[in-house]
Amino acid sequence: MSISTSDIARTALDESVDDGSVGDHLGATDEATGLLTERFACTLPGYIGWYWAVSLSTVPDSSPTVNDIVLLPGDDAIVAPAWTPYRDRIQPGDLSPGDVLPPEEDDIRLAPAWFVGDGDGEGVVDRHFAREIGLGREWVLSLEGREEAADRWYGGEHGPDTPMAEQAPGRCGSCGFLISLSGDLSDRFGVCGNGTANADGRVVALTHGCGAHSGSRPKRSASATALPDPVVDTIKVDELEGF
């Protein structure tokens, strides 16, 4: 009388798992030709929805062989959330004094200072980035890095589409408090130098704006209108007859 694969799997489980956590037989799954997985419920506290999986090799004219025994989560199992790399969890403002967040070795935002070149013609080198070599910087922003920064700044609180910019009397590009930048981003951004503005010391899009624009003028109030005669005059001195 041949022994079923489920019986062989349960025997292997009973020999390997001695905590009494092997429950009812849940079924079998054909993984491939000659490869079968028998599944048993797990009764361990805290492992609701998990199951014991016993992998067996089934060869014709030979007894099944147990390959492996593992505890796996089912569709309704409680499992830890997917791992999020440390770098992807860091948000602007999360770094504290002493924290270190080095760039990736293949960070597309950076390029060797000697390698970066701009210009319309092939072989035309941007002098601004060529000067960086003399300053001793090993890496500078690549074209992708600059455009990523530009997109982020345009979509931020100092971009052109904020409520502040939409109601501003003028744009930063025409403001006297704007400090110009040099380099590739100078045609789109500057730094606000107005100490009374919300964006003071921040990079602003030239198409941004606020109420502290240098061209702002106070609104003139409407001229005073003539008031009607008072019902009771408390200012004039009454002249009484006989006195």
Side-chain angles (χ1 to χ4, degrees):
M1 181 177 178
S2 61
I3 303 176
S4 66
T5 55
S6 62
D7 291 337
I8 295 176
R10 181 174 287 277
T11 300
L13 272 173
D14 291 338
E15 294 175 354
S16 301
V17 181
D18 57 1
D19 55 8
S21 63
V22 180
D24 297 335
H25 181 239
L26 301 178
T29 303
D30 288 320
E31 306 292 352
T33 303
L35 185 62
L36 180 72
T37 297
E38 295 284 355
R39 295 175 287 109
F40 296 85
C42 176
T43 60
L44 281 173
Y47 282 81
I48 299 175
W50 289 66
Y51 65 91
W52 290 104
V54 182
S55 174
L56 302 101
S57 294
T58 57
V59 180
D61 302 326
S62 179
S63 299
T65 303
V66 176
N67 298 323
D68 197 8
I69 298 175
V70 292
L71 183 62
L72 299 176
D75 294 336
D76 300 326
I78 299 175
V79 296
W83 169 254
T84 302
Y86 175 75
R87 180 176 302 278
D88 296 339
R89 287 182 278 138
I90 295 295
Q91 300 295 321
D94 287 348
L95 291 182
S96 301
D99 290 342
V100 176
L101 186 64
E104 298 285 356
E105 292 184 2
D106 56 351
D107 196 328
I108 195 175
R109 299 171 301 171
L110 294 173
W114 56 265
F115 177 78
V116 176
D118 283 335
D120 297 331
E122 185 175 344
V124 178
V125 178
D126 189 318
R127 294 182 180 178
H128 169 72
F129 291 102
R131 286 197 299 270
E132 299 290 357
I133 302 176
L135 295 177
R137 289 208 294 169
E138 181 180 359
W139 299 92
V140 296
L141 276 175
S142 63
L143 176 61
E144 292 83 359
R146 297 198 300 272
E147 291 306 312
E148 181 180 323
D151 291 341
R152 185 173 63 252
W153 294 343
Y154 257 98
E157 59 179 330
H158 302 308
D161 300 323
T162 62
M164 177 77 74
E166 292 175 353
Q167 300 183 37
R171 298 299 181 182
C172 293
S174 61
C175 181
F177 294 108
L178 182 77
I179 300 173
S180 299
L181 297 176
S182 62
D184 182 69
L185 298 179
S186 61
D187 60 338
R188 288 171 283 176
F189 299 96
V191 176
C192 178
N194 188 345
T196 59
N198 294 351
D200 179 43
R202 306 290 183 86
V203 174
V204 294
L206 301 184
T207 49
H208 181 63
C210 73
H213 190 278
S214 62
S216 300
R217 296 294 180 267
K219 295 182 179 179
R220 296 181 178 274
S221 59
S223 58
T225 57
L227 299 177
D229 294 335
V231 176
V232 178
D233 190 346
T234 60
I235 298 178
K236 293 181 180 179
V237 178
D238 294 332
E239 295 181 1
L240 303 178
E241 296 182 2
F243 288 91

